[in-house]
Amino acid sequence: MAIAFAVACTAILPATAASSSSGVVAAAAAKPRITSQPQSSLAVPGRHAAIVVAAAGSGLRYSWQRRDPGHAWSTVRGATSRQYSPTALASAPLRQYRVTVSNAGGTVHSRVATVFAVSCFGAGSMTPALAGCPTPDLAKMLMPAPQDVGRDYGGLSNCWADNDTTTLRRCTFPSTGPRKGVPHLALVGDSHARMYLPALRWLADRGELTFDTYLKGSCAWSTTSPVRGVIGTTYQREFTASCATWRKKLAARLIRTPGEYDGIITGAYHNTRFLYPSSVKTQAQRNAYRRAGAVAAWKPVLKRGVPVFVIRDNPVPGKPTADCLLGKGKSDPGKCAFTKAFGTKTYDPLPGAVAQAPKGAHLVDLTWRFCTAKTCPVVIGGANVYRDDHHVSVTYTETLAPYIWRLVSRYIPTQ
């Protein structure tokens, strides 16, 4: 009877199960489960990057795949272990990788990881772990020239709402719009958010993402009222009102179409002045009020499951650095550097706001791309960093693109 019972059970088991000669049925293998996703990596052309996956399960098999953005996946011959070390190629400044993990129970795909072939020019020279940087030839390079850096802002005035307008202007990059299988983001905020448009455009031009912009001068993505000019004047009142109207349009637009955006990137100038209620008197209360204003603006999209990526404001030199580079720093740009303590002394509410926000808010801290432990150079890897006393040049911002995307992409849903 025992043998007959075992045979009867075996007859109705799915094909993935097996029975031993003793009549004991073996359990089906569990489908693999990825416990640590591969992360985007950077390397100087000609050197190896490293991407690694960790998975749980029995009898695991690995097979790495690669593609250039917008193209089909192809299997990498011989790449059959949990770690793969592709060579970064100058001809392919970014290339995407994923791994399939399989066993008798099934197959799973990892998230996509991008390997960037990065130059030592600009931000690459602030990466101690990036073998080969900085290179000696960059010591004598300075781009743009100090007399030209003030014009290095990227243009695109049609994508920008001036201080006195309430028009919600949207620009889409590339102009062909969103594409299936590619993350679609929004860049939102004031001129310090706008600074990162060239970095996102660099990524969009290479097929890594698409994005829309919603930008207005001195009007960060917040509910706290900004001030320009003398408080109480007609100019100040009109500007504050225009920002409030623009923000209402922005809030409605961002939640109009569920699922339209895979993430929203924002930033804000930390030294903007604001109007405060009479009950807000001390500096600590003002700081808390600014944090709360930012969180209040982000909440509607966070509650809809859209991640918000908040770029911590850059350290500021406090005065145009071009003057110094044309003077005492002409032969030695290091003489124009400022201390990190000075460049970050003014309170930035964004890190604290991220800490207080609902789940889905992420801080993108690029301070380490501007400063060492104590010093902030004004020329990094041959790139002239600042176009005025607080805005970053387009030239340097573009070199930040791989580092921004490396921090952001890990939270973007797999495409």
Side-chain angles (χ1 to χ4, degrees), residues 241-398:
S242 75
C243 181
T245 301
W246 183 85
R247 284 171 171 174
K248 288 180 181 178
K249 295 178 180 179
L250 172 66
R253 180 64 187 80
L254 292 179
I255 63 174
R256 187 179 73 183
T257 306
E260 180 177 11
Y261 295 114
D262 296 301
I264 298 176
I265 297 178
T266 191
Y269 182 38
H270 65 272
N271 210 21
T272 298
R273 294 184 300 136
F274 294 94
L275 292 176
Y276 299 98
S278 58
S279 59
V280 176
K281 298 177 180 179
T282 68
Q283 189 59 52
Q285 289 174 330
R286 291 182 175 187
N287 293 345
Y289 188 75
R290 291 172 65 186
R291 293 194 300 269
V295 173
W298 308 339
K299 272 186 177 180
V301 295
L302 289 171
K303 288 183 177 180
R304 286 165 173 77
V306 180
V308 174
F309 302 98
V310 183
I311 301 179
R312 185 174 193 161
D313 202 16
N314 57 278
V316 297
K319 57 184 177 181
T321 58
D323 295 340
C324 180
L325 291 171
L326 289 169
K328 68 177 183 180
K330 190 171 184 178
S331 59
D332 181 10
K335 294 179 179 179
C336 301
F338 55 96
T339 66
K340 184 178 179 181
F342 175 84
T344 59
K345 67 179 181 179
T346 304
Y347 180 73
D348 183 357
L350 294 183
V354 170
Q356 295 175 5
K359 181 180 179 181
H362 307 282
L363 183 66
V364 179
D365 191 346
L366 299 172
T367 306
W368 56 303
R369 297 293 166 194
F370 291 94
C371 305
T372 63
K374 294 183 179 180
T375 305
C376 303
V378 301
V379 177
I380 296 175
N384 200 341
V385 178
Y386 298 95
R387 67 176 177 86
D388 56 25
D389 60 337
H390 59 93
H391 290 102
V392 180
S393 68
V394 167
T395 299
Y396 191 71
T397 299
E398 287 180 340

Side-chain angles (χ1 to χ4, degrees), residues 8-365:
C9 286
T10 303
I12 62 172
L13 283 172
T16 54
S19 60
S20 67
S21 58
S22 64
V24 178
V25 179
K31 187 177 181 179
R33 178 173 57 87
I34 293 178
T35 57
S36 179
Q37 297 283 355
Q39 301 296 319
S40 295
S41 185
L42 308 102
V44 174
R47 295 182 180 267
H48 294 287
I51 43 179
V52 184
V53 69
S58 60
L60 299 180
R61 300 184 298 274
Y62 303 90
S63 178
W64 287 91
Q65 299 175 322
R66 72 182 175 204
R67 71 176 180 187
D68 292 326
H71 292 73
W73 289 104
S74 62
T75 300
V76 181
R77 295 179 61 181
T80 56
S81 64
R82 59 183 294 267
Q83 177 171 326
Y84 179 52
S85 300
T87 302
L89 302 174
S91 59
L94 54 85
R95 180 163 280 171
Q96 296 173 331
Y97 294 86
R98 71 179 184 183
V99 62
T100 61
V101 185
S102 59
N103 65 6
T107 299
V108 293
H109 291 290
S110 74
R111 292 174 58 92
V112 175
T114 301
V115 171
F116 293 91
V118 297
S119 167
C120 294
F121 177 73
S125 286
M126 292 293 281
T127 312
L130 197 61
C133 289
T135 54
D137 60 302
L138 295 176
K140 298 181 179 180
M141 185 179 293
L142 180 54
M143 294 177 59
Q147 60 269 28
D148 299 325
V149 73
R151 297 187 292 272
D152 193 26
Y153 64 89
L156 299 173
S157 58
N158 59 309
C159 303
W160 177 251
D162 291 325
N163 295 338
D164 58 351
T165 182
T166 63
T167 304
L168 186 67
R169 295 178 177 174
R170 179 179 70 167
C171 285
T172 301
F173 300 90
S175 58
T176 50
R179 299 201 315 273
K180 184 178 180 180
V182 177
H184 186 54
L185 309 179
L187 176 65
V188 174
D190 64 5
S191 65
H192 275 234
R194 182 193 188 190
M195 289 191 311
Y196 295 100
L197 192 160
L200 298 187
R201 194 175 185 182
W202 187 93
L203 293 164
D205 288 345
R206 289 155 179 79
E208 189 76 358
L209 54 82
T210 61
F211 69 103
D212 295 336
T213 60
Y214 303 98
L215 303 163
K216 178 173 169 59
S218 301
C219 189
W221 189 24
S222 175
T223 61
T224 309
S225 298
V227 172
R228 283 186 69 89
V230 179
I231 295 177
T233 62
T234 299
Y235 173 77
Q236 178 269 307
R237 289 194 297 267
E238 289 179 348
F239 166 74
T240 301
S242 75
C243 181
T245 301
W246 183 85
R247 284 171 171 174
K248 288 180 181 178
K249 295 178 180 179
L250 172 66
R253 180 64 187 80
L254 292 179
I255 63 174
R256 187 179 73 183
T257 306
E260 180 177 11
Y261 295 114
D262 296 301
I264 298 176
I265 297 178
T266 191
Y269 182 38
H270 65 272
N271 210 21
T272 298
R273 294 184 300 136
F274 294 94
L275 292 176
Y276 299 98
S278 58
S279 59
V280 176
K281 298 177 180 179
T282 68
Q283 189 59 52
Q285 289 174 330
R286 291 182 175 187
N287 293 345
Y289 188 75
R290 291 172 65 186
R291 293 194 300 269
V295 173
W298 308 339
K299 272 186 177 180
V301 295
L302 289 171
K303 288 183 177 180
R304 286 165 173 77
V306 180
V308 174
F309 302 98
V310 183
I311 301 179
R312 185 174 193 161
D313 202 16
N314 57 278
V316 297
K319 57 184 177 181
T321 58
D323 295 340
C324 180
L325 291 171
L326 289 169
K328 68 177 183 180
K330 190 171 184 178
S331 59
D332 181 10
K335 294 179 179 179
C336 301
F338 55 96
T339 66
K340 184 178 179 181
F342 175 84
T344 59
K345 67 179 181 179
T346 304
Y347 180 73
D348 183 357
L350 294 183
V354 170
Q356 295 175 5
K359 181 180 179 181
H362 307 282
L363 183 66
V364 179
D365 191 346

